[in-house]
């Protein structure tokens, strides 16, 4: 499967725990984007990364959220001390270059907070 | 603030009908407009539009962009039940990042 791979597909956490969401971009893509989709709302941009660099994190909440895209391995979106309001679908997308290339999306991770 | 508005919010049609979905936008430094189809999982890429007046076509789907009036339409002819989905419009603004600003989507249901 050469598409964008996200795991896990579903993640359940209790309030106060940490959530780690993983994203492997399409083969040959070096640009990764994370979006969040809250119930009954549209997709909202969170962060844009290239290998080892955060390019734009203007959509990330200031606290508890962080993202990385290391030289080797998948991109990770990390949410510390989760709260009920973090329950959402988190989608990762990748593109071949930044700009003027379509972003292709993974199937998302559905995060539920108990 | 960048904004993308889609209409209608939802639509129910019968198989064989033609539908037109609308997307208007207000974005600084517009670069491109994209249409996606979302069923239960990943938004699936349909079209990317960068130039006004040039229709993009794929089977029964087509789309066109008007950069002067700041809108795009997505047409689906001879609809089938498999076209039932949420159709998302997104705009990419040039600049330091390449984030997409999404509209809320149009929910299309095609009845047999």
């Amino acid at each position: 499967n050469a598409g964008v791979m996200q795991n896990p597909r579903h993640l359940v956490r209790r309030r106060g725990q940490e959530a780690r969401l993983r994203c492997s971009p399409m083969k040959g893509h070096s640009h990764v984007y994370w979006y969040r989709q809250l119930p009954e709302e549209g997709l909202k941009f969170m962060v844009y990364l290239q290998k080892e660099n955060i390019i734009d994190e203007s959509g990330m909440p200031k606290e508890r959220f962080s993202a990385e895209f290391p030289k080797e391995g998948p991109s990770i979106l990390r949410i510390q001390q989760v709260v009920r309001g973090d329950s959402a679908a988190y989608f990762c997308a990748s593109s071949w270059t930044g700009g003027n290339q379509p972003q292709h999306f993974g199937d998302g991770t559905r995060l539920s907070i108990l | 603030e960048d904004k993308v508005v889609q209409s209608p919010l939802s639509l129910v049609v019968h198989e064989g009908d033609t539908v037109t979905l609308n997307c208007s936008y207000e974005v600084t430094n517009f670069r491109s407009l994209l249409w996606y189809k979302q069923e239960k999982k990943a938004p699936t890429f349909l079209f990317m539009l960068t130039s006004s007046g040039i229709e993009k076509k794929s089977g029964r789907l087509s789309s066109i962009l008007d950069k002067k009036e700041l809108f795009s339409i997505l047409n689906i002819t001879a609809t089938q039940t498999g076209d039932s989905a949420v159709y998302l419009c997104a705009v990419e603004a040039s600049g330091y990042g390449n984030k997409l600003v999404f509209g809320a989507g149009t929910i299309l249901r095609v009845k047999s």
Side-chain angles (χ1 to χ4, degrees):
Chain A
N1 187 344
V4 178
M5 301 299 293
Q6 289 189 249
N7 66 82
R9 292 290 310 280
H10 301 275
L11 182 60
V12 180
R13 285 285 177 265
R14 296 188 180 279
R15 280 178 293 171
Q17 290 184 320
E18 179 179 289
R20 281 186 182 234
L21 288 62
R22 293 175 192 77
C23 169
S24 295
M26 279 180 75
K27 192 173 179 181
H29 287 190
S30 59
H31 298 252
V32 165
Y33 312 80
W34 286 93
Y35 294 84
R36 177 163 66 174
Q37 189 171 38
L38 292 166
E40 310 301 322
E41 292 189 21
L43 284 152
K44 296 278 194 283
F45 168 80
M46 298 182 76
V47 62
Y48 161 40
L49 310 103
Q50 293 179 35
K51 284 283 186 184
E52 299 185 276
N53 288 304
I54 296 174
I55 307 301
D56 181 358
E57 55 182 348
S58 59
M60 287 277 269
K62 293 283 184 274
E63 295 176 351
R64 302 188 298 110
F65 285 71
S66 62
E68 62 176 9
F69 189 16
K71 190 175 177 183
E72 302 290 337
S75 175
I76 307 283
L77 179 68
R78 184 178 173 212
I79 311 172
Q80 294 178 288
Q81 299 174 328
V82 296
V83 301
R84 288 249 169 91
D86 297 333
S87 294
Y90 291 83
F91 287 93
C92 171
S94 72
S95 65
W96 182 49
T97 64
N100 272 338
Q101 291 287 325
Q103 294 177 23
H104 295 272
F105 283 79
D107 283 344
T109 292
R110 298 197 182 277
L111 176 64
S112 299
I113 309 302
L114 301 178
Chain B
E1 187 183 332
D2 297 338
K3 191 163 69 170
V4 177
V5 178
Q6 292 186 245
S7 64
L9 288 180
S10 66
L11 193 54
V12 181
V13 300
H14 287 96
E15 271 192 314
D17 287 351
T18 294
V19 298
T20 298
L21 309 183
N22 304 294
C23 175
S24 63
Y25 62 91
E26 292 176 30
V27 174
T28 52
N29 301 318
F30 173 90
R31 176 177 271 173
S32 63
L33 184 144
L34 297 91
W35 285 97
Y36 289 86
K37 176 183 181 183
Q38 185 176 26
E39 295 171 89
K40 296 211 169 149
K41 301 179 185 176
T44 305
F45 171 72
L46 295 174
F47 297 111
M48 180 180 220
L49 303 151
T50 56
S51 301
S52 265
I54 298 174
E55 185 183 52
K56 292 229 173 167
K57 208 167 164 57
S58 176
R60 296 177 294 103
L61 278 65
S62 63
S63 184
I64 197 159
L65 173 66
D66 185 330
K67 286 166 77 171
K68 185 179 174 188
E69 300 297 329
L70 308 183
F71 80 91
S72 172
I73 59 171
L74 175 69
N75 276 322
I76 310 174
T77 59
T79 51
Q80 302 170 358
T81 55
D83 295 326
S84 296
V86 179
Y87 290 84
L88 299 170
C89 174
V91 173
E92 182 186 16
S94 65
Y96 195 57
N98 298 297
K99 65 182 181 184
L100 295 179
V101 179
F102 280 87
T106 292
I107 303 169
L108 174 64
R109 185 178 157 218
V110 181
K111 293 166 72 170
S112 57

